[in-house]
């Protein structure tokens, strides 16, 4: 696209809510605790396989704790979002970063989601569905009130934006 109104890939301006770090850490801990607990209980109950069950449980616990300590802070530094009158910009990822743009004319639906952990941390996720084969854009870790305002703004802007003829 050329011209003054072209949508260009650029760094989004807004970071997610700081509480997202705690939310991500909790998700990592739960994701680690479940398999470690299963292996641990089985290791304690099945004596002949104890070594073969408790060893991977210990390794998984160490890796899970390391990931819990490192990745949420990294994600907070990387995850960015922005909404303009022309597009929604999102940057996510840890090791492989993904930058996506959804022009307003391509947005089909806007949803907000608040899972149990998100509710506990006062957060929400805004999902912007487009005509892209890549799938929806997700802006995770937003304050739940900001997420509601963002969804309302996106709905109003997309209603006022003429559809893309391509």
């Amino acid at each position: 696209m050329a011209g003054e109104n072209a949508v260009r890939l650029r760094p989004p301006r807004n970071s997610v809510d700081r509480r997202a770090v705690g939310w991500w850490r909790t998700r990592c801990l739960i994701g680690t605790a479940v398999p470690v607990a299963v292996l641990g209980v089985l290791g304690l109950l099945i004596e002949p396989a104890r070594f073969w069950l408790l060893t991977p449980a210990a390794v998984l616990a160490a890796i899970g704790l390391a990931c819990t300590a490192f990745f949420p802070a990294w994600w907070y530094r990387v995850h960015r979002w922005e909404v303009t009158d022309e597009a929604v910009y999102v940057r996510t990822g840890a090791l492989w970063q993904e930058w996506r743009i959804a022009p307003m004319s391509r947005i089909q639906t806007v949803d907000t989601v608040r899972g149990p952990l998100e509710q506990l941390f006062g957060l929400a996720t805004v999902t912007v569905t487009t005509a892209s084969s890549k799938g929806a854009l997700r802006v995770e870790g937003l304050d739940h009130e900001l997420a509601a305002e963002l969804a309302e703004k996106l709905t109003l802007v997309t209603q006022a934006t003429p559809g893309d003829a391509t």
Side-chain angles (χ1 to χ4, degrees):
M1 286 188 283
E4 293 177 19
N5 296 329
V7 177
R8 292 190 171 86
L9 187 64
R10 61 176 179 73
R13 291 189 177 102
N14 304 313
S15 62
V16 297
D17 192 284
R18 186 79 180 134
R19 291 172 290 174
V21 174
W23 172 55
W24 287 323
R25 281 202 172 113
T26 303
R27 285 176 37 189
C28 288
L29 284 174
I30 291 170
T32 298
V34 170
V36 167
V38 169
L39 288 170
V41 168
L42 289 174
L44 294 174
L45 295 175
I46 307 170
E47 191 172 336
R50 185 164 289 155
F51 174 80
W52 300 108
L53 293 168
L54 293 181
T55 300
V59 170
L60 261 172
I63 292 170
L65 289 174
C67 289
T68 299
F70 173 75
F71 280 110
W74 178 262
W75 291 331
Y76 179 76
R77 285 191 291 276
V78 172
H79 284 221
R80 294 283 182 266
W81 67 277
E82 183 178 355
V83 173
T84 67
D85 288 340
E86 293 80 36
V88 177
Y89 298 81
V90 178
R91 183 179 71 189
T92 59
L95 301 176
W96 285 267
Q97 293 181 14
E98 180 177 49
W99 298 44
R100 300 206 34 217
I101 300 172
M104 290 297 176
S105 62
R106 304 290 291 189
I107 294 175
Q108 295 175 334
T109 61
V110 179
D111 303 297
T112 56
V113 176
R114 294 189 71 207
L117 281 179
E118 283 177 300
Q119 291 178 43
L120 183 68
F121 284 91
L123 301 171
T125 297
V126 174
T127 303
V128 179
T129 306
T130 68
S132 169
S133 62
K134 187 78 169 150
L137 278 76
R138 294 173 45 89
V139 184
E140 295 182 339
L142 297 178
D143 175 80
H144 71 94
E145 291 177 1
L146 175 61
E149 291 169 14
L150 180 60
E152 185 177 341
K153 176 183 177 181
L154 284 171
T155 301
L156 293 173
V157 171
T158 56
Q159 285 176 346
T161 303
D164 192 355
T166 57

